[in-house]
Amino acid sequence: FLTRDSEKAKALEGNARRQNHLGLDTRMIYPAQAAQIVPGLNTEGLQACAFNPDDGVLFPFAVVWEWPRSPASWGWRSTPSPG
């Protein structure tokens, strides 16, 4: 997560501390470190960067688009509900 806003930077730092308290490996990193992780990142004006090497991203669109196909691929058939 990145921010160019100083108030949001404070919140981001607080969130990282909270996540650490919960056992997550979230850490605050320098903009140059963020640029190494994301080549081409515009670091101009960045106030804070948080990173967790164990995080992942799930884009729900792919799940929603594929959902109707999944049961058929498992051999399931759709039947109307009674009534």
Side-chain angles (χ1 to χ4, degrees):
F1 291 94
L2 312 169
T3 186
R4 289 180 167 82
D5 180 273
S6 60
E7 287 301 312
K8 290 180 182 174
K10 291 177 189 175
L12 194 58
E13 291 167 359
N15 289 341
R17 282 192 300 275
R18 189 173 303 114
Q19 291 173 21
N20 292 158
H21 178 75
L22 294 170
L24 300 173
D25 190 21
T26 304
R27 54 189 90 148
M28 300 304 295
I29 61 174
Y30 293 105
Q33 292 171 296
Q36 289 177 344
I37 296 166
V38 183
L41 176 68
N42 178 3
T43 60
E44 185 176 339
L46 284 179
Q47 298 288 317
C49 309
F51 175 68
N52 183 322
D54 300 323
D55 268 355
V57 176
L58 171 66
F59 295 103
F61 311 111
V63 174
V64 172
W65 293 333
E66 290 298 318
W67 180 254
R69 292 185 224 182
S70 296
S73 71
W74 301 327
W76 295 358
R77 290 183 303 155
S78 174
T79 56
S81 60

